[in-house]
Amino acid sequence: MTTIANNLQQVNDRISEACRAAGRAREEVALLAVSKTFGAEAVAEAAATGQRAFGENYIQEGVDKILALRQQLPFALQWHCIGPVQSNKTRLVAEHFDWVHTVDRLKIAQRLSDQRPRDLPALNVCIQVNVDGGETKAGVAPQDALELALAVAKLPRLRLRGLMSIPDASPDFAAQKAVHSAARALFDQIRKALVEAGIPGAEGFDTLSLGMTADLDAAIQAGSTLVRVGTGVFGGRTYPPA
C-alpha cells in the first residue's frame, strides 16, 4: 500500500470513528482531499484508491491538474475550489470547477453565474462565513450571510449548496466544537429561511463544509457534512517562495 493510500485509509477510519462518537451515519460525511501544492501524480494516486473529490486553493494550479487528469484518467473527478476567488479568476473557476466554497461577495457570485458555460451543470456554491470574526480570515460576517444566500440562490447558473467556514485554530476539542456549532446554527437558520421564502431548490441546501486535519472530529460532532483534509492525506507541504 502506498503512503497516500495508507493515509487515506487512516483518515477515513478517523472520520468513521468521529461519526460513531457523534451518533451519525458514516455516509453523512464526505471527505474532500485537499491537493494544493501536490502534483497531478499525487491526485492520481489518491484517485486510484477510490477518492474522487479534490480541493484546490490556487486556481491556476488547480486548472492545470484538472486538464492533465482529464486526459489521463478513465473516470471523472470532482473538483472543488476552496481558495479565494478574485474577479480576474472567476472565469477559470466557472469553466473548470464543479464546486466553489469561498463565495463571500455578491459580485463574485454574479460573475461566476454569468461565466458558467451553458453546456455544464450549474456550479455548486457554498458561502464562506467568517463565523468567529477572525481578523485574518475571509468570509461574510454571520449577520450578513442570510442576505447573501438569498441573493445567490436566485442566480441562474449557480446552485446554492451550503456554508463553509475556516475558523481560527482553537486550543481544545470543546472550543473547536463551539465555533463549529455556531456555523451549524447559522446553516440551519439559513436553510429554514430559504424554505420559508419559497426559493426553488432550497432543499438542496445540504452542505456544511467544516473541519480540516486538526479539527475534523469536532467539526463532525457539530454537524459537518464535508471535511477538507490535506496534510492528513498527502503529507506536509513545501510552498514555493513568495
Side-chain angles (χ1 to χ4, degrees):
M1 184 180 291
T2 67
T3 299
I4 288 175
N6 184 65
N7 289 348
L8 274 166
Q9 181 174 313
Q10 291 186 32
V11 169
N12 277 299
D13 288 347
R14 182 179 167 194
I15 293 171
S16 295
E17 180 55 39
C19 287
R20 280 193 292 272
R24 301 178 62 192
R26 174 62 182 85
E27 56 268 23
E28 293 180 28
V29 182
L31 169 62
L32 183 65
V34 179
S35 44
K36 68 176 181 181
T37 78
F38 291 92
E41 67 282 354
V43 175
E45 192 174 325
T49 73
Q51 178 66 29
R52 293 291 182 268
F54 294 88
E56 290 286 333
N57 293 67
Y58 309 125
I59 293 168
Q60 185 60 60
E61 177 192 328
V63 169
D64 291 344
K65 278 181 257 189
I66 291 168
L67 295 176
L69 290 164
R70 191 176 292 161
Q71 300 299 318
Q72 293 177 25
L73 299 179
F75 45 78
L77 301 179
Q78 186 185 84
W79 292 95
H80 297 236
C81 175
I82 59 172
V85 180
Q86 304 300 326
S87 294
N88 64 343
K89 294 291 179 69
T90 53
R91 185 172 297 278
L92 282 174
V93 174
E95 291 180 348
H96 295 285
F97 285 84
D98 304 296
W99 285 69
V100 55
H101 292 222
T102 50
V103 170
D104 60 3
R105 289 170 288 159
L106 183 56
K107 174 187 174 181
I108 295 299
Q110 289 172 327
R111 289 178 64 88
L112 290 169
S113 179
D114 291 344
Q115 294 168 347
R116 183 67 168 175
R118 300 293 165 178
D119 61 330
L120 294 179
L123 181 64
N124 295 291
V125 167
C126 289
I127 290 173
Q128 183 174 359
V129 181
N130 188 355
V131 69
D132 58 344
E135 293 183 2
T136 64
K137 300 295 184 182
V140 65
Q143 63 269 24
D144 299 324
L146 174 57
E147 181 182 358
L148 180 58
L150 289 167
V152 170
K154 296 174 184 176
L155 294 173
R157 300 292 296 139
L158 303 184
R159 184 182 177 202
L160 181 62
R161 296 297 301 271
L163 301 183
M164 184 271 254
S165 187
I166 312 174
D168 285 338
S170 297
D172 55 45
F173 182 90
Q176 292 169 359
K177 183 181 175 183
V179 70
H180 288 316
S181 294
R184 169 62 188 272
L186 181 62
F187 172 84
D188 289 342
Q189 174 193 341
I190 292 174
R191 182 169 58 183
K192 182 173 183 286
L194 291 170
V195 171
E196 290 177 347
I199 299 294
E203 68 281 355
F205 190 82
D206 57 5
T207 300
L208 189 54
S209 174
L210 293 177
M212 300 186 288
T213 302
D215 63 347
L216 70 84
D217 308 87
I220 290 171
Q221 188 77 222
S224 174
T225 67
L226 185 150
V227 292
R228 310 177 305 268
V229 180
T231 56
V233 172
F234 294 103
R237 294 188 175 90
T238 300
Y239 291 91

